[in-house]
Amino acid sequence: MKRRIGKVVAWGSAIFVPAAVVGVNGYFTVPDSTQLHTVSGIHHQCIDYTHSSPLDEQGRFSLLVWNIYKQQRPQWDTALSQYHQPHRLMLLQEASFGPQLARWITQASLHYDQAYAFAMQDAVAGVMNLSKVNPLHSCAYTAVEPYLRLPKSALYSEYQLSNGQRLAVVNIHSINFTYAMAAYKKQLAALEQALARVEGPIILAGDFNTWSQRRLDAVRAMVSRLSLQEMRYHPDERMTKFGLPLDHVFYRGLSVEKASAIDNGASDHAAIEAQLKVTG
């Protein structure tokens, strides 16, 4: 079913803006900035849902955070099928929404929201949330890579909890190909602005591309201002660049019962899994 929200189209639950461009590698589209709101130089658009069941079960839920590498490696679907059984919330980066992933989501009977970063040959690329229940509210954010000029994306979503609270979740794929910090910090600042209004529990997770100490320091400064904790993993097989891990999970108002980051071979990034308990 096709649903129109202002000038943003939600197809199923994928959030995107139609705007065609012809690129040297084939047909692709990028969001039209004239159709999006702007906050601190970051474009965003939102969608509300009328009802949501609690994400947790008796105060507990499991989480997956995984850069799925545009499903370029064999067995991505097998790995995802194994993950979706225990996990009530899956935060994917570099998801490529084409026929194969669409079919998998339908067969798994999962709700999805995707931020439209860009599309290539009719497959939408961007961060994606998969969940057993729909959120109450979700906003897609895009920030343009300074040199490649293709957007990176993030989703800000709010999920109902059984204790009456809302869980704010940010799924981010951070700007990568620049040594300067201005664009990187601007992307973080827009999301911090959204999270600063949240009084309840928070999850901030994804591929932060923290391949330099300056980037990692910027993320940790933001996390400190929001009073978030950094998740630890056993084992910890996260992808690293220059000795620094790229993927992170930060949280507040939750306790971690167990967490691991295991390289399953179905992506260039390890999959982070965590069992969480609501403490509020």
Side-chain angles (χ1 to χ4, degrees), residues 62-68 83 87 89-93 203-208 230-239 245-251 256 258-264 267 269-276:
S62 54
L63 171 72
L64 173 77
V65 179
W66 188 27
N67 183 320
I68 199 170
Y83 290 134
H87 298 302
L89 178 61
M90 297 189 287
L91 309 182
L92 305 181
Q93 300 83 50
I203 292 173
L204 169 62
D207 179 355
F208 289 81
E230 185 170 357
M231 189 175 289
R232 306 297 179 183
Y233 318 97
H234 181 75
D236 186 353
E237 299 175 355
R238 287 177 295 168
M239 182 182 186
L246 305 184
D247 304 300
H248 304 273
V249 180
F250 305 97
Y251 61 96
V256 180
K258 60 179 180 179
S260 63
I262 297 175
D263 183 0
N264 57 32
S267 170
H269 286 247
I272 294 174
E273 298 180 87
Q275 182 69 39
L276 300 169

Side-chain angles (χ1 to χ4, degrees), residues 139-152:
C139 294
Y141 288 74
T142 59
V144 176
E145 285 273 8
Y147 297 111
L148 295 183
R149 306 309 299 170
L150 286 176
K152 283 294 195 295

Side-chain angles (χ1 to χ4, degrees), residues 174-227:
S174 291
I175 283 173
N176 191 16
F177 299 104
T178 176
Y179 286 101
M181 291 294 294
Y184 188 83
K185 287 184 175 181
K186 185 177 289 187
Q187 184 189 24
L188 292 179
L191 296 166
E192 181 178 357
Q193 182 178 340
L195 288 173
R197 298 190 291 266
V198 176
E199 296 181 357
I202 290 174
I203 292 173
L204 169 62
D207 179 355
F208 289 81
N209 277 312
T210 44
W211 44 257
S212 75
Q213 191 62 49
R214 288 195 303 165
R215 285 169 170 250
L216 189 56
D217 289 345
V219 172
R220 286 179 171 162
M222 170 187 174
V223 163
S224 177
R225 289 190 293 269
L226 293 169
S227 300

Side-chain angles (χ1 to χ4, degrees), residues 26-179:
Y27 175 80
F28 67 92
T29 64
V30 296
D32 183 348
S33 62
T34 64
Q35 296 175 313
L36 297 168
H37 300 300
T38 300
V39 177
S40 302
I42 307 299
H43 303 302
H44 78 287
Q45 187 58 278
C46 302
I47 184 171
D48 290 304
Y49 297 92
T50 56
H51 176 73
S52 177
S53 299
L55 177 67
D56 63 295
E57 294 178 312
Q58 298 180 334
R60 288 178 167 84
F61 67 96
S62 54
L63 171 72
L64 173 77
V65 179
W66 188 27
N67 183 320
I68 199 170
Y69 194 48
K70 305 181 186 71
Q71 302 100 262
Q72 293 183 74
R73 288 191 178 177
Q75 305 304 314
W76 67 266
D77 51 347
T78 301
L80 206 53
S81 294
Q82 292 172 344
Y83 290 134
H84 108 266
Q85 295 298 333
H87 298 302
R88 294 185 62 81
L89 178 61
M90 297 189 287
L91 309 182
L92 305 181
Q93 300 83 50
E94 289 197 38
S96 179
F97 188 81
Q100 286 183 304
L101 184 55
R103 185 165 52 250
W104 185 92
I105 292 171
T106 299
Q107 292 172 349
S109 299
L110 293 173
H111 176 91
Y112 73 94
D113 289 283
Q114 183 178 25
Y116 183 120
F118 61 92
M120 187 70 171
Q121 297 174 340
D122 297 323
V124 175
V127 299
M128 175 181 285
N129 292 6
L130 296 171
S131 54
K132 296 187 185 292
V133 300
N134 61 273
L136 290 166
H137 176 72
S138 195
C139 294
Y141 288 74
T142 59
V144 176
E145 285 273 8
Y147 297 111
L148 295 183
R149 306 309 299 170
L150 286 176
K152 283 294 195 295
S153 59
L155 279 171
Y156 169 92
S157 304
E158 294 178 358
Y159 294 87
Q160 185 66 53
L161 295 176
S162 59
N163 65 359
Q165 289 183 304
R166 289 190 178 194
L167 170 67
V169 176
V170 167
N171 178 5
I172 184 172
H173 190 194
S174 291
I175 283 173
N176 191 16
F177 299 104
T178 176
Y179 286 101

